Amino acid sequence: MLAKLKKSYSILPGLLISVLISLISQYLSALLPNLGAALIAIFLGILLGNTFLNKPYFKKGTKFSEKSLLEWSIVLNGIILDFQIIKQVDFTGLVFIILQMVLTILFAYWIGRTMKFNKKMSLLMGAGNAVCGSSAIGTVSPVIDADKKDKAMSITIVNVTGTILMVSLPILASVLYHNEVVQTSALIGGTVQSIGQVVASAKLVSMDVTNLSIVFKLMRVLLIIGVALSFSKLNTKEEEPLFSKSAVDPISADLEKNASLMTIPWFIAGFFILFLLRSFLPLPSFMIHSSEVISNQFEITALAAIGLQVKFSDILKEGPRTMLYGLLIGCFQVILAISLIFWLF
């Protein structure tokens, strides 16, 4: 009991500052409607997180705000959406996501090896960029037995790349697609790295784009199980071919690795349960409206927390070579997405 209380108190500073920034952002968005609360929250978070609020005791609370509040926001989005929005994606959307993910992983691995990064780092970068940022890296790291340095470096670069795409893609979408919902949502939801960054980016366009971008993004998150299982079959020894069998390849080891991967993240399950309820039952309007308001508050608080965690020192520390690696993958993802959207949609 005492340990739980101690943990709760350690979360409070970062959580409260994230909430405060979100409230300030919503107030400022009324004065600056062209920017929106989401973008203001992120930029305020980045500015304050690198100056006045660059304190270690905020870290646990900002991580909690980013992860937990965003997950609950996604769950509540299940009540806001229904089958009508899924019809806009259709089977074509699934084909788009699968091609986008597979080709991104292949490119990330190829360019990583070309730039002399090791196998595990290249695979982590592929998973992080193709699927869902830090969460995907955390999922596949034990599968390929990646070391802490590669894991930390890939998480930093993937998040930096995602932040750049988060801000730039709404501008690109407005030029290419004039903010048309399906194409813009496919570009943002199929490309940007983390769920929080997808929400933040889509919020800069419209609520319709936000809702559909989440659908595209959740497809990617669901496919993390397939990515992890595929990675578990690869040979990550530097001196051996990637697709060859390892000298030590016990079936039991594979089963142990994969056992923890055969579950769907709780927030995706919650999203689909509420989504089905909304689609098949006549829910009262106050419930839908309340869910939308709470989800929006959670989102903006999570986005403020994401901004607080972007550190300029981390970007500089990784060096130009590693940053170039991340940016090359990001550019490839955008070009690939634009090409697939032109072909499929």
Side-chain angles (χ1 to χ4, degrees), residues 1 15 71 78 144 213 253 270-271 274 317:
M1 184 68 179
L15 173 61
E71 288 174 349
I144 61 174
S213 294
F271 169 87
L274 294 183
K317 185 174 66 178

Side-chain angles (χ1 to χ4, degrees), residues 147-167:
D147 62 38
K148 290 182 180 179
K149 182 181 177 183
D150 286 341
K151 182 179 176 181
M153 189 183 300
S154 58
I155 285 174
T156 301
I157 298 304
V158 164
N159 282 327
V160 171
T161 305
T163 302
I164 294 169
L165 294 182
M166 173 184 74
V167 177

Side-chain angles (χ1 to χ4, degrees), residues 249-266:
D249 188 22
I251 296 174
S252 59
D254 266 352
L255 291 173
E256 286 179 6
K257 281 183 179 180
N258 298 336
S260 63
L261 300 172
M262 300 308 294
T263 56
I264 295 174
W266 76 271

